[in-house]
Amino acid sequence: MTDIPDPFEGLVEFDIVDEHVDADFALRLRQRVQRGLDAAAGLRTARFDLRGVARAAGTTSNIDNPANPGLTERISTMAQVITPYICVHDATAAIEWYQEFFGANVSNVIPWDGRVGHAEVDISGARFYLSDQAPDLGVVAPERDGSQTSVSIVLQVAVVDEFVARAERGGAVVQRPIEEAHGSRSAWIVDPFGHRWNVGTPVYDEQAMASRRGPSEPYYMTLTSPDVERAAAFYGAVLGWEFSGPQGGGRHVENTEMPIGLRPTTNDFGTTEPGEIAMWFTARDFDDALERVRVAGGTVVESNNWDSGREAVCEDDQGVAFKLSEPAPGYDR
């Protein structure tokens, strides 16, 4: 068989690969291309080297691991992420239920033939996919009582007692009550769509837990101005603020202990009114903080992952907006 040229080597050779390309995405893309090439060549199995694209992306830590030499062999023949893909009798109702009682964020909902063909569900960083059943394609949902499901999904949550109580209020059935074993307090529940979940919270040292739940401090503040450069000149003269160069239409104050920024009314992150002040507060244990927002009656409106860290846009139990942030390394002050 004639050797098939490797298109990724060409990308590397001609410096087409962006230094900021996501390494995981690049690996998955390479796998898909390789599978296509193998199928065309009539091959039943494939083995391929992933190091080239990882180096092109500037990341080889997951490829070459001297501490675990077997990892290199395994990573070249298997996926690095397992994502559950469940189906249900009524995906629209399931999406609403997981949002309300599991605190899920749902995205990329794709309709198909009058049904939900695909949806992506995220519960504090744990992701699974969801669709309506399609018996004609062999995709069949379990019985709603969970009596005919052979797969269980394990989910780590911040406060298992509150999580299970909330799920019960939504109609979930507790098959095994919460008990402590193997370093976790966990329970087995079946949701109203027939899927079985093992939800649990790791048992932590109380002092360590207290340190992670210490009082949150202000992390960042922005002040919106219709003319950022004019505002920088004004506040520089009045308050003695010194600014870094423009970035994304805004300016960052460099000489204050509390990080402050000026932002325009419209930027990449949305639209705000002139004079509007936005505050971010640190969350030492991000997932735990989001669960406590829900337990206290608040709402996690949106969660994002930026280069600067994880962010959650929240509302308290009176509808007042605030933001939580878990700074990435190098961004904490």
Side-chain angles (χ1 to χ4, degrees):
M1 183 183 70
T2 303
D3 291 338
I4 301 174
D6 185 341
F8 285 87
E9 294 300 330
L11 293 177
V12 175
E13 179 181 351
F14 292 101
D15 295 327
I16 297 177
V17 174
D18 192 316
E19 64 178 351
H20 299 297
V21 68
D22 181 88
D24 290 335
F25 169 77
L27 296 179
R28 293 195 300 272
L29 178 59
R30 183 186 180 92
Q31 290 174 328
R32 292 181 65 182
V33 171
Q34 184 69 54
R35 286 196 296 269
L37 295 175
D38 289 340
L43 298 178
R44 295 182 61 189
T45 59
R47 291 178 60 84
F48 38 85
D49 177 19
L50 302 180
R51 293 180 181 81
V53 68
R55 292 194 180 98
T59 302
T60 57
S61 60
N62 290 332
I63 301 298
D64 299 307
N65 188 344
N68 187 357
L71 180 62
T72 299
E73 182 71 14
R74 290 197 302 274
I75 205 170
S76 66
T77 58
M78 64 184 289
Q80 292 176 268
V81 176
I82 296 177
T83 303
Y85 206 135
I86 67 175
C87 72
V88 295
H89 289 285
D90 186 343
T92 299
I95 287 172
E96 294 176 353
W97 193 90
Y98 290 130
Q99 286 177 315
E100 181 173 359
F101 298 104
F102 273 20
N105 290 314
V106 179
S107 62
N108 198 25
V109 179
I110 301 174
W112 176 67
D113 195 23
R115 295 169 286 183
V116 174
H118 175 85
E120 298 180 10
V121 186
D122 185 289
I123 305 172
S124 297
R127 173 168 293 192
F128 65 95
Y129 298 157
L130 178 149
S131 73
D132 270 304
Q133 70 169 354
D136 51 320
L137 300 178
V139 180
V140 182
E143 295 297 326
R144 289 180 179 270
D145 61 3
S147 61
Q148 296 184 17
T149 179
S150 59
V151 176
S152 299
I153 305 172
V154 179
L155 177 65
Q156 181 174 309
V157 299
V159 186
V160 67
D161 304 78
E162 297 291 346
F163 192 96
V164 171
R166 187 170 64 239
E168 273 196 288
R169 290 196 297 271
V173 175
V174 178
Q175 286 191 330
R176 301 184 202 171
I178 297 171
E179 62 179 2
E180 184 174 324
H182 310 295
S184 176
R185 297 186 68 254
S186 62
W188 291 86
I189 64 176
V190 175
D191 68 34
F193 307 93
H195 289 283
R196 184 186 297 114
W197 299 78
N198 174 232
V199 294
T201 300
V203 177
Y204 296 110
D205 176 84
E206 291 186 3
Q207 290 185 343
M209 177 66 79
S211 67
R212 287 201 305 275
R213 287 189 172 183
S216 291
E217 300 285 349
Y219 170 61
Y220 199 75
M221 181 188 83
T222 60
L223 173 63
T224 300
S225 172
D227 187 329
V228 168
E229 294 306 312
R230 182 174 176 180
F234 177 85
Y235 292 110
V238 174
L239 303 179
W241 287 353
E242 298 174 2
F243 296 87
S244 61
Q247 183 176 5
R251 298 290 293 271
H252 175 72
V253 181
E254 291 193 314
N255 63 333
T256 55
E257 181 177 351
M258 165 70 189
I260 302 170
L262 297 178
R263 64 181 296 179
T265 53
T266 301
N267 57 38
D268 293 341
F269 303 103
T271 301
T272 51
E273 296 295 323
E276 182 175 331
I277 294 176
M279 292 289 299
W280 285 256
F281 301 93
T282 56
R284 291 180 174 84
D285 189 324
F286 193 74
D287 294 327
D288 176 73
L290 298 193
E291 184 65 12
R292 284 188 284 148
V293 168
R294 301 183 183 107
V295 169
T299 304
V300 179
V301 178
E302 178 184 351
S303 59
N304 300 297
N305 287 306
W306 310 115
D307 290 342
S308 57
R310 300 168 70 186
E311 172 202 65
V313 180
C314 306
E315 292 180 355
D316 67 17
D317 61 348
Q318 300 182 75
V320 177
F322 66 99
K323 298 180 181 181
L324 297 175
S325 181
E326 181 185 60
Y331 286 88
D332 48 346
R333 49 190 186 96

